[in-house]
Amino acid sequence: MSRRTGKPSYQLPTPKTGGARLAVVIVAVGLAALLVGGAAGYAANGPDRVESAAADIREAEAQRDTQQIIELTETARRLRVEVAPVLSALRAEAPTGGQPGLEQARQWQQTMQRAAAPFADPPSGTTATNVARGGLRGAVEQASLAVETYLLAITGPPAQRAALTALAKRQAAQATAAWSVAATQLDQVNIDAGQGHQHVELDGGNGDGAEEGSGG
């Protein structure tokens, strides 16, 4: 009598897996579509938005810097009227009637204090604009030193008057040179900002010979 056994495995019915496989395929396709759609959305919107935001920032910075340049140029023109006569007087040879006295020197001192006021709390701009502003501030500070030295010359011991007066003249010459460099830099940033040539030299001239407002 043969022993009863089960059917061979190859004769067993195959499990119905078609539905499960179909579900897996559907999920995979859905995920792929989601990933592709997200990537396409980022490609379409992400870089454009970033670039647009960066462009807005650059435009705002350019507008802010242009406004700073205009204001700095106006300040330089106003200060030139006050600073130029002081430096010219300090650099000049002593007139026949003698050197300027204490009252005149005190007036110069007040003038230089007013000239330094606009640079007390400067705004932050681009490097080029900051260099122009720093150059003008340095020129005003050097001119102030020249005035202070001259005050010491006329109020100090007579034996030191000649030496201190000569030092004040040298400081005035250095202030004039510093202003000239700053004026050149300010002229250039005006050109770069589209304002054209803007000349703020102490003597009222234009060393480059360019017409005012040209080259913008």
Side-chain angles (χ1 to χ4, degrees), residues 68-80:
Q68 288 188 15
I69 292 170
I70 293 173
E71 293 174 355
L72 182 60
T73 304
E74 293 174 350
T75 297
R77 293 189 194 282
R78 186 178 70 254
L79 296 183
R80 175 181 61 184

Side-chain angles (χ1 to χ4, degrees), residues 1-215:
M1 181 176 177
S2 61
R3 189 174 56 182
R4 184 176 296 179
T5 60
K7 292 183 179 180
S9 60
Y10 60 84
Q11 293 182 357
L12 294 175
T14 303
K16 296 181 178 180
T17 59
R21 290 179 179 176
L22 179 60
V24 171
V25 171
I26 292 175
V27 171
V29 171
L31 289 174
L34 181 62
L35 292 174
V36 171
Y42 175 79
N45 299 321
D48 288 345
R49 291 180 179 177
V50 172
E51 182 60 31
S52 178
D56 290 343
I57 292 174
R58 289 193 297 268
E59 183 179 358
E61 289 179 346
Q63 292 177 352
R64 182 187 62 186
D65 190 57
T66 299
Q67 184 61 33
Q68 288 188 15
I69 292 170
I70 293 173
E71 293 174 355
L72 182 60
T73 304
E74 293 174 350
T75 297
R77 293 189 194 282
R78 186 178 70 254
L79 296 183
R80 175 181 61 184
V81 176
E82 299 182 352
V83 173
V86 176
L87 292 176
S88 295
L90 287 171
R91 296 173 60 193
E93 296 297 329
T96 305
Q99 295 178 323
L102 180 60
E103 182 178 355
Q104 179 65 76
R106 293 295 188 192
Q107 291 178 1
W108 290 344
Q109 190 179 43
Q110 294 174 2
T111 297
M112 300 315 303
Q113 289 173 351
R114 289 194 303 269
F119 304 106
D121 187 21
S124 178
T126 63
T127 299
T129 305
N130 289 341
V131 169
R133 182 182 292 105
L136 291 172
R137 179 179 59 193
V140 170
E141 291 175 348
Q142 187 66 25
S144 297
L145 286 176
V147 171
E148 296 299 328
T149 301
Y150 185 75
L151 272 169
L152 291 176
I154 61 178
T155 59
Q160 299 179 1
R161 181 165 300 178
L164 288 173
T165 300
L167 177 58
K169 287 182 180 295
R170 291 199 300 271
Q171 290 172 329
Q174 291 173 354
T176 302
W179 184 287
S180 178
V181 173
T184 301
Q185 175 68 12
L186 185 56
D187 185 36
Q188 185 61 52
V189 296
N190 269 287
I191 295 171
D192 294 340
Q195 306 300 316
H197 285 277
Q198 301 295 323
H199 303 109
V200 296
E201 284 78 3
L202 289 175
D203 60 4
N206 53 343
D208 54 19
E211 189 174 333
E212 193 81 0
S214 65

